[in-house]
Amino acid sequence: MLLKGKVWKYGENINTDVILPGRWCHLYLEEDLAKHCLEDLDPDFVKKASPGDIIVAGKNFGCGSSREIAPLAIKAAKVSCVIAPSFARIFYRNAINLGFPIFESDECYQKAETGDILEVDIATGVIANLTKNQKYSSTPFPEFMRMIIQKGGLKGYVLERMKNKT
Amino acid sequence: MGMTITEKILASHCGKSKVTPGEIINAKVDLAMANELSAQLAIKEFDDWGMSKIFDSNKVALIPDHFTPNKDITSANIAKKVREFAWKHNIKFYIEQGRAGIEHAVMAERGMILPGEVLIGGDSHSTTCGAMGCFAAGVGSSDIAYAWAVGEIWLKVPSSMKIILKGKLKNWVSGKDIILHIIKEISVDGATYMAMEFTGSGVSQLNMADRFTMSNMSTEAGAKNGIFSVDDETLQYVRNTERYKLEKPEFKIYESDFDAKYEIEKEYDMSVIEPQVACPFSPGNVKPLSDVEKLPIDAVIIGTCTNGWIEDMRRAAAIFKGRKVHPKVRVIVIPGSTLIQKQAIQEGLAEIFIESGCVFSTSTCGPCIGGHMGVLAEKERCVSTTNRNFVGRMGHPSSEVYLANPAVAAASAILGRIASPEEL
């Protein structure tokens, strides 16, 4: 499966408070969360982004709070994936558990710019920059995490486990 | 090759004699905790997945603390949803507002979690209880729902960072300053995916409050857990908890082997560390207090899950005693729990705070997340003993938060600017 979209590029250590501020932490439904995605980082993000667009950011993306509504807000805003050199650990596991694609690639962060069109192959993790005619690699997921992502997140995994138990 | 304390606890919870960093395991959970916000999404997921039964209602804690006492109808509805879920599933550790407090303080002081156990919490500061010699990590709501369903958590066994502490603490220096100094040194992603293990001859000088503060903020360096070994101080704390007294539960004490493998080893001489301040807008933007500009301030927050322990209340009260808060400053003191609040009243600390001109509040996460009970206005500046100072964290995106220890926060409240207790 290919994910194709325009790049919105941000810096390092983007924390969950600017992705989904505390004042919106009472929300949990996707349609409500989508309206506030990246609100304290880039207040116009929701207006200017189109479905399928891709967030490219610096290291330690998603640091801070454990709020799962941060990756959920990004997913709900129809962003197709996030690419960063590294992710904070709770954001990382929340994204996997939600079945939301994230890719670790320092090369992409170094070379891609806002407005570039990327095409990401979920299976291989290869990121093609169609604007610059470049290809970047990303770190492959461990087998267990790839399995959860393939099942669409923790939901698919847990349903299978419960079925096997009975 | 030996194992670290973290590896031993995780091995014992997945039925293995040995685990190695990088390995993915399904660990049995001794306590799955959520606050009302992480619980709200976890309940939705639990229901969406078609789950009907909690694996063990004695191993679940639901502690409403973020928007409680409820600030509006929306937050009241969330708390209601969580309360009804807790009653329906007969959750052992559901504790109501007015009897509980902030989740991490409540779990510790009630002995809901014990040394050698595995705690996962739907809150990033769930690392706090690692100070008691258990594995304690923050996770998201899906993980909590998963643990409710099957009693397990998938984990990548973390590699370990050994933090060796030596030397005596200087005057006015506490665990907060040590952990801020460490975060500055290793940076806000210096321990990402790793276990931070605090050890060395200096640990014996750190009281439980100091240790809880350090484990609490290990997550600000990206750590999965922040753990201390069990010593007499820990045992005394555990034996004083309500649950220990009532149930006398058994627990196991683990220690790292002498030949355990560490990815990184760092040594700190605490005797050369002065009070530290994390300047806006990162917990890693840390400077020694003497290098920080003495800017005027509008607000001070003392307490919460980072520095709301009884020792912290005493440290702040020692500064406020016989002094008045600066006329242009508002101070809110928030003990970590109802039990700490009660003790602060019994010790006469509450009266000192109120006489000095502080709000002495019930326990809540409120102002730390810019939720309620002291939200910052446009361009306001606050000295806070909390753990994060990101853009907009405690209110308006243009407001500024300086993170410091309780004595520095109290001294700043008196002088109306960022200040050292030495100046009083």
Side-chain angles (χ1 to χ4, degrees):
Chain A
M1 190 183 150
L2 294 173
L3 305 172
K4 189 175 169 185
K6 193 163 72 226
V7 169
W8 298 98
K9 192 171 173 181
Y10 301 100
E12 296 180 344
N13 301 314
I14 303 299
N15 66 73
T16 53
D17 273 88
V18 296
I19 296 171
L20 203 278
R23 60 184 174 276
W24 302 117
C25 272
H26 56 279
L27 303 174
Y28 71 109
L29 297 174
E30 293 196 26
E31 58 265 35
D32 296 327
L33 293 167
K35 294 176 200 155
H36 305 289
C37 179
L38 303 196
E39 191 166 281
D40 281 359
L41 176 68
D42 181 352
D44 296 329
F45 178 77
V46 174
K47 272 182 262 165
K48 62 193 188 187
S50 311
D53 281 0
I54 293 171
I55 294 173
V56 175
K59 65 172 186 165
N60 202 23
F61 186 87
C63 60
S65 156
S66 68
R67 59 189 74 156
E68 192 164 320
I69 50 177
L72 195 54
I74 296 175
K75 187 184 181 192
K78 305 268 190 289
V79 170
S80 63
C81 64
V82 179
I83 305 170
S86 65
F87 292 85
R89 59 163 288 272
I90 306 181
F91 186 95
Y92 183 91
R93 64 182 299 132
N94 282 341
I96 289 168
N97 286 343
L98 288 170
F100 177 69
I102 54 174
F103 299 91
E104 288 180 331
S105 172
D106 185 47
E107 197 185 0
C108 181
Y109 175 62
Q110 298 301 335
K111 295 179 177 168
E113 291 168 277
T114 293
D116 288 359
I117 303 294
L118 300 186
E119 198 172 71
V120 186
D121 185 331
I122 287 196
T124 62
V126 172
I127 302 159
N129 188 328
L130 304 183
T131 309
K132 292 193 161 63
N133 201 21
Q134 294 170 338
K135 280 201 170 161
Y136 320 125
S137 61
S138 66
T139 313
F141 284 104
E143 180 55 38
F144 177 84
M145 297 183 202
R146 199 158 49 223
M147 182 265 295
I148 291 188
I149 296 166
Q150 275 164 4
K151 293 185 195 304
L154 207 52
K155 180 181 180 177
Y157 178 65
V158 76
L159 290 181
E160 207 174 274
R161 276 200 64 171
M162 297 310 276
K163 212 167 88 185
N164 292 342
K165 265 191 174 177
T166 50
Chain B
M1 181 66 70
M3 286 195 286
T4 66
I5 179 171
T6 296
E7 288 156 13
K8 285 183 183 180
I9 295 173
L10 292 179
S12 74
H13 282 74
C14 66
K16 290 187 172 184
S17 56
K18 188 168 176 59
V19 293
T20 40
E23 183 180 345
I24 290 175
I25 57 164
N26 273 303
K28 294 221 175 315
V29 170
D30 296 304
L31 188 69
M33 186 280 303
N35 56 54
E36 83 274 26
L37 297 182
S38 52
Q40 164 170 251
L41 186 55
I43 291 169
K44 179 179 180 283
E45 284 165 338
F46 192 76
D47 291 343
D48 281 356
W49 299 349
M51 301 295 151
S52 55
K53 206 173 165 299
I54 300 259
F55 82 106
D56 184 347
S57 55
N58 292 322
K59 294 184 174 178
V60 174
L62 289 169
I63 306 172
D65 59 5
H66 274 56
F67 290 133
T68 59
N70 301 129
K71 68 159 183 157
D72 54 18
I73 294 168
T74 309
S75 63
N77 282 335
I78 295 171
K80 184 171 181 236
K81 203 184 308 177
V82 174
R83 186 178 303 125
E84 287 171 352
F85 182 85
W87 287 344
K88 179 179 161 194
H89 292 279
N90 211 10
I91 300 301
K92 179 177 179 185
F93 297 121
Y94 172 74
I95 306 194
E96 197 48 89
Q97 303 163 38
R99 277 148 271 172
I102 300 170
E103 49 200 303
H104 312 299
V106 173
M107 285 189 288
E109 73 185 11
R110 306 240 174 177
M112 291 180 192
I113 186 80
L114 296 165
E117 294 190 333
V118 168
L119 157 70
I120 57 157
D123 186 278
S124 57
H125 294 108
S126 299
T127 50
T128 309
C129 288
M132 296 165 75
C134 61
F135 175 86
V139 296
S141 296
S142 293
D143 287 312
I144 293 294
Y146 180 74
W148 287 346
V150 300
E152 290 178 5
I153 175 91
W154 69 266
L155 288 173
K156 188 160 92 174
V157 175
S159 60
S160 288
M161 175 187 283
K162 189 177 192 176
I163 309 266
I164 305 162
L165 303 168
K166 291 191 170 161
K168 289 203 157 163
L169 293 175
K170 275 188 179 177
N171 235 356
W172 310 115
V173 172
S174 59
K176 182 64 162 283
D177 307 293
I178 307 300
I179 190 67
L180 285 176
H181 178 80
I182 293 171
I183 296 167
K184 169 193 166 184
E185 285 258 310
I186 67 173
S187 94
V188 289
D189 64 347
T192 298
Y193 309 131
M194 298 173 81
M196 273 175 110
E197 183 179 324
F198 301 101
T199 181
S201 58
V203 168
S204 62
Q205 279 196 65
L206 301 170
N207 58 36
M208 285 310 288
D210 291 322
R211 298 181 199 184
F212 281 126
T213 305
M214 292 172 71
S215 291
N216 176 280
M217 287 196 75
S218 61
T219 188
E220 306 311 331
K224 179 172 252 169
N225 63 317
I227 193 164
F228 284 82
S229 294
V230 174
D231 63 8
D232 290 345
E233 179 94 11
T234 329
L235 288 175
Q236 198 190 342
Y237 184 88
V238 170
R239 288 180 184 138
N240 262 323
T241 62
E242 186 186 53
R243 178 168 163 235
Y244 187 81
K245 285 180 188 162
L246 284 173
E247 302 174 14
K248 291 279 183 301
E250 284 181 17
F251 58 87
K252 212 166 166 199
I253 295 170
Y254 294 92
E255 273 181 42
S256 293
D257 291 323
F258 72 95
D259 57 347
K261 196 178 167 210
Y262 294 90
E263 190 165 317
I264 298 172
E265 289 192 26
K266 293 258 176 193
E267 196 173 302
Y268 294 93
D269 178 1
M270 298 195 292
S271 69
V272 300
I273 296 175
E274 65 164 289
Q276 306 283 310
V277 177
C279 302
F281 289 101
S282 163
N285 187 18
V286 175
K287 294 175 187 167
L289 176 60
S290 55
D291 289 354
V292 179
E293 201 184 335
K294 309 288 187 212
L295 296 165
I297 58 169
D298 306 287
V300 168
I301 304 287
I302 295 173
T304 74
C305 71
T306 316
N307 277 124
W309 309 91
I310 189 65
E311 293 89 340
D312 295 318
M313 298 289 108
R314 291 178 192 140
R315 285 162 174 157
I319 303 280
F320 284 120
K321 192 171 185 179
R323 298 188 176 100
K324 294 284 180 202
V325 169
H326 189 277
K328 289 189 175 170
V329 176
R330 317 179 299 275
V331 183
I332 305 175
V333 179
I334 305 176
S337 71
T338 306
L339 292 182
I340 296 169
Q341 183 186 35
K342 196 171 126 189
Q343 196 173 344
I345 292 168
Q346 283 166 349
E347 292 184 16
L349 311 179
E351 197 176 334
I352 294 172
F353 296 135
I354 294 166
E355 275 298 319
S356 184
C358 309
V359 172
F360 184 60
S361 164
T362 188
S363 297
T364 177
C365 306
C368 173
I369 50 162
H372 65 133
M373 277 298 288
V375 177
L376 299 176
E378 215 170 322
K379 292 182 181 162
E380 283 195 320
R381 188 176 295 124
C382 176
V383 175
S384 176
T385 69
T386 51
N387 42 39
R388 292 199 174 120
N389 57 354
F390 301 143
V391 171
R393 171 74 180 183
M394 292 178 62
H396 193 276
S398 67
S399 61
E400 292 181 354
V401 178
Y402 288 74
L403 304 176
N405 77 34
V408 170
S412 303
I414 304 289
L415 293 174
R417 57 174 173 81
I418 297 170
S420 162
E422 302 272 350
E423 297 178 60
L424 293 170

